[in-house]
């Protein structure tokens, strides 16, 4: 009841956290969180996405994807994080789009996108970024491939950007 009332934001957040505690024991309790992903309060949206990721509520994948374009960066962050935690395969292209829009302006959004792509584990869409004109996407690709311990990170040793080449070399050298 607290999560859906329109009074105190803090009470709503505590209600969402309570739903999360219940959902850890039985995922059917997570269903009300889906409606909260469409709330007018962006922090409520962010907290609902966060809890969905925390409890790995896999049924929320299609509802989380639109949040990657949300105007509130915390909602984007927690949506990307949740999509990675539930390993939602259809989120790869939308996450890549989010990373491109972000253009390395918010590094924590890059981190969330990189971690999500790593957890989803699709190597080919990431290696396809080798010739992408977006420097931000190429950096993210190197970071994802490094986390995946993929030999394909070597493709980025030929990049025109010295920083990306250096990161690819570090990924190869530092990670053995």
């Amino acid at each position: 009841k607290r999560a859906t009332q329109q009074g105190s934001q803090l009470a709503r957040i505590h209600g969402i956290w309570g739903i999360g505690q219940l959902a850890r024991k039985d995922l059917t309790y997570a269903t009300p969180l889906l409606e909260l992903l469409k709330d007018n309060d962006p922090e409520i949206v962010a907290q609902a996405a966060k809890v969905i990721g925390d409890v790995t509520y896999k049924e929320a994948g299609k509802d989380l994807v639109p949040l990657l374009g949300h105007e509130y960066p915390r909602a984007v962050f927690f949506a990307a994080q949740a999509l990675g935690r539930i390993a939602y395969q259809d989120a790869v292209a939308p996450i890549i789009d989010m990373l491109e829009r972000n253009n390395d302006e918010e590094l924590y959004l890059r981190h969330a996108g990189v971690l999500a792509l790593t957890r989803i584990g699709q190597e080919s869409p990431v290696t396809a970024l080798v010739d992408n004109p977006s420097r931000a996407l190429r950096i993210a690709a190197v970071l994802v491939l490094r986390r995946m311990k993929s030999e394909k990170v070597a493709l980025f040793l030929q990049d025109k950007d010295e920083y990306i080449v250096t990161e690819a070399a570090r990924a190869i050298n530092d990670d053995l």
Side-chain angles (χ1 to χ4, degrees), residues 45-60:
V45 173
Q47 291 298 319
K50 179 188 181 306
V51 170
I52 285 170
D54 290 347
V55 302
T56 59
Y57 185 50
K58 294 184 183 289
E59 288 77 15

Side-chain angles (χ1 to χ4, degrees), residues 96-161:
I96 290 172
D97 292 343
M98 179 275 292
L99 288 167
E100 187 170 28
R101 280 190 311 276
N102 180 50
N103 198 30
D104 275 349
E105 290 175 21
E106 300 287 349
L107 294 181
Y108 66 95
L109 289 182
R110 178 179 76 186
H111 172 71
V114 164
L115 196 54
L117 290 172
T118 302
R119 287 175 171 164
I120 292 169
Q122 291 184 21
E123 188 178 77
S124 60
V126 177
T127 57
L129 299 173
V130 70
D131 293 320
N132 194 289
S134 169
R135 179 178 188 265
L137 284 181
R138 295 192 321 274
I139 290 170
V142 169
L143 296 173
V144 170
L145 293 170
R146 179 181 190 161
R147 284 181 159 272
M148 292 174 77
K149 298 184 183 337
S150 171
E151 294 178 2
K152 302 271 176 130
V153 74
L155 295 170
F156 291 85
L157 291 172
Q158 305 302 318
D159 199 274
K160 62 186 176 238
D161 187 298

Side-chain angles (χ1 to χ4, degrees), residues 69-82:
H70 202 280
E71 62 188 24
Y72 188 52
R74 285 173 53 82
V76 177
F77 175 85
F78 287 124
Q81 194 173 53

Side-chain angles (χ1 to χ4, degrees), residues 1-23:
K1 288 180 182 178
R2 288 285 179 210
T4 57
Q5 56 88 24
Q6 294 301 312
S8 166
Q9 182 191 58
L10 187 58
R12 295 186 75 197
I13 291 169
H14 280 266
I16 292 167
W17 294 346
I19 291 170
Q21 289 175 345
L22 292 170

